[in-house]
Amino acid sequence: MVDSITTEEVCFSRKRPDVYGDAHPKALLKAIQEEGDYLQNLTEQHVVSTDQFTRDELLQLFRLSAKYEGNPERFNTPLKGKILISAFYEPSTRTRLSFESAWHRLGGDIMSITDRSTTGIAKGESLEDVGEMFNNYGDCVVLRDNNEESVRLMMNSLRIPIINAGNGTDEHPTQALADMYTIFKWKPGLISDPDSTPKLTMGIVGIPSKMRTVRSLLKVMAVFPECFEEVIIFHDESAQKVFDEGQLEQLQEKGLNVTLSSKLNKRLPELDIVYINAIAWVGNTFESFGEKFVLSKSSPLKENAIIMHPLARGEELSTDLDDTHHNWYFSQARGAVFLRMALLTCLCQRTEQVMDIV
Ligand code: CP
């Protein structure tokens, strides 16, 4: 027999009235001057890596994302008549559903494949041939596949854009764009008033050589090195190779001041942002690296520090932080919908339909 339920329990608005960290996107919208031509560069591009975006393209993308987030109901038709092929061959809560939500919010239709064995791939069909067929059925493909090469193989035959939604341990470009969008929403002054906005000291708990979210985020941060005083990678000394060959050097060459530490609690009091992730998807399963570093309400966080996490979380991030002002991870996930709306609008050549709407 299940206990009877109370009015308090069923009233969701009394539990958590707002998402912490939902800074109004209008401040970011004001911080970035509109320059429409840069978004045209993204027209009909595949999105494979964060490497492919310039600083100006990113800023304009964040501007359009903020415009959508500030007034989402005004933009419900740009993708009317367009069809998304959503192909996720690896588990996903946020990326698949936020892409599909973004597409729906813009008025488009969706075909979803969540198991590659329901396609001709199970009969040995090549990804190039599957891509050739996708050209006939949709206007854009979003692919998550644990095989790093799959997205590039499909590009060989696709004449519609494909977006890499996470390819093994390689990259997760749209997550990184959403992460940087979150940082600029928190501190729009980094763009509009850099002289009087203090640079950020950011800690990243994660392994750049293994975690696609961390690899992609560091690349995007390296486009804006002047925003960061120091980026500290926290790693377990006994564990993994932290960087791939040349990975750290590439970030440093771009001016990002990256250092390493194994003492999280010692340095927590000076961190403005703590980005934590413990999962790496390797082959057909995940590996967790979250035993050593744990954040909770009792961690010595700086008073105004924010915590970011790409999620899904494990033991490394205590739920007792959810109801604190440090929680920006839920806002980070929510903002990804608007970032993806902006990107999809560009790739499908529908920016002209939204630029004049305020
Ligand atoms: N952040 C992220 O990629 O989450 P999902 O695995 O749920 O898509």
Side-chain angles (χ1 to χ4, degrees):
M1 176 91 176
V2 180
D3 289 344
S4 62
I5 200 150
T6 66
T7 309
E8 195 63 32
E9 284 174 297
V10 294
C11 187
F12 53 82
S13 64
R14 285 189 209 162
K15 288 192 174 159
R16 186 177 296 131
D18 229 333
V19 174
Y20 285 96
D22 249 350
H24 207 286
K26 281 191 177 151
L28 181 56
L29 193 60
K30 267 174 72 177
I32 306 171
Q33 294 299 313
E34 182 170 343
E35 291 183 61
D37 283 357
Y38 293 110
L39 290 183
Q40 299 300 329
N41 298 349
L42 304 179
T43 294
E44 294 193 319
Q45 273 196 28
H46 298 305
V47 174
V48 185
S49 163
T50 38
D51 284 332
Q52 68 193 75
F53 295 95
T54 67
R55 180 191 175 87
D56 289 319
E57 288 165 2
L58 288 172
L59 287 175
Q60 292 306 311
L61 201 57
F62 297 149
R63 188 178 195 283
L64 183 57
S65 311
K67 188 166 161 172
Y68 279 149
E69 186 166 2
N71 211 347
E73 61 284 352
R74 305 243 6 221
F75 302 95
N76 52 16
T77 57
L79 296 186
K80 198 167 168 23
K82 299 266 185 186
I83 298 172
L84 176 72
I85 300 173
S86 166
F88 276 72
Y89 305 143
E90 190 195 280
S92 169
T93 304
R94 280 146 294 277
T95 314
R96 180 165 80 85
L97 294 176
S98 66
F99 262 115
E100 295 188 3
S101 174
W103 194 273
H104 276 303
R105 283 164 191 254
L106 294 167
D109 297 308
I110 291 171
M111 294 186 296
S112 202
I113 311 166
T114 55
D115 183 350
R116 63 157 73 77
S117 71
T118 63
T119 72
I121 297 169
K123 296 183 273 189
E125 188 170 24
S126 73
L127 289 172
E128 282 95 337
D129 278 359
V130 173
E132 185 59 48
M133 295 305 107
F134 280 5
N135 290 319
N136 303 314
Y137 308 143
D139 300 285
C140 181
V141 182
V142 178
L143 176 72
R144 172 171 289 186
D145 194 317
N146 56 9
N147 180 350
E148 288 182 19
E149 294 307 315
S150 295
V151 65
R152 287 182 170 81
L153 289 172
M154 292 196 78
M155 278 161 54
N156 290 333
S157 56
L158 279 171
R159 296 181 297 281
I160 56 175
I162 185 168
I163 302 174
N164 175 8
N167 61 333
T169 60
D170 184 32
E171 283 229 37
H172 194 347
T174 59
Q175 176 68 48
L177 301 186
D179 296 345
M180 200 66 214
Y181 173 59
T182 306
I183 293 171
F184 283 141
K185 261 195 305 179
W186 181 50
K187 294 283 178 196
L190 289 167
I191 302 167
S192 59
D193 191 8
D195 293 338
S196 51
T197 304
K199 293 179 175 198
L200 303 172
T201 301
M202 179 159 169
I204 296 182
V205 183
I207 305 169
S209 64
K210 282 252 184 196
M211 295 173 182
R212 60 194 179 202
T213 52
V214 176
R215 184 194 303 278
S216 291
L217 175 59
L218 283 166
K219 286 185 182 187
V220 176
M221 290 166 63
V223 179
F224 303 96
E226 73 285 358
C227 298
F228 300 96
E229 185 68 39
E230 186 182 1
V231 181
I232 308 154
I233 309 293
F234 292 96
H235 67 105
D236 182 347
E237 277 168 335
S238 62
Q240 309 288 320
K241 189 172 70 145
V242 181
F243 288 100
D244 280 337
E245 193 81 29
Q247 193 181 9
L248 176 62
E249 291 75 12
Q250 277 178 11
L251 297 167
Q252 289 171 333
E253 274 165 25
K254 290 182 176 165
L256 199 64
N257 177 23
V258 183
T259 60
L260 288 129
S261 171
S262 57
K263 298 188 169 43
L264 178 64
N265 279 354
K266 186 164 172 232
R267 297 217 54 188
L268 263 186
E270 57 184 297
L271 301 182
D272 301 299
I273 303 177
V274 192
Y275 184 103
I276 185 163
N277 182 26
I279 288 175
W281 195 272
V282 183
N284 285 322
T285 186
F286 68 90
E287 292 177 12
S288 180
F289 302 92
E291 299 84 23
K292 181 160 180 203
F293 301 113
V294 174
L295 288 180
S296 73
K297 221 170 180 172
S298 57
S299 299
L301 288 156
K302 191 172 176 176
E303 168 54 25
N304 291 321
I306 66 166
I307 299 170
M308 297 175 63
H309 193 309
L311 305 174
R313 80 167 131 199
E315 299 293 313
E316 74 284 355
L317 180 61
S318 170
T319 54
D320 71 8
L321 282 158
D322 292 358
D323 286 324
T324 71
H325 64 277
H326 300 299
N327 173 2
W328 272 61
Y329 35 93
F330 290 162
S331 174
Q332 179 187 358
R334 180 177 182 276
V337 176
F338 304 103
L339 182 284
R340 288 177 174 131
M341 284 172 75
L343 184 65
L344 292 168
T345 306
C346 297
L347 299 186
C348 294
Q349 304 181 62
R350 292 289 171 96
T351 43
E352 278 175 11
Q353 294 194 9
V354 299
M355 292 319 263
D356 294 337
I357 303 175
V358 286

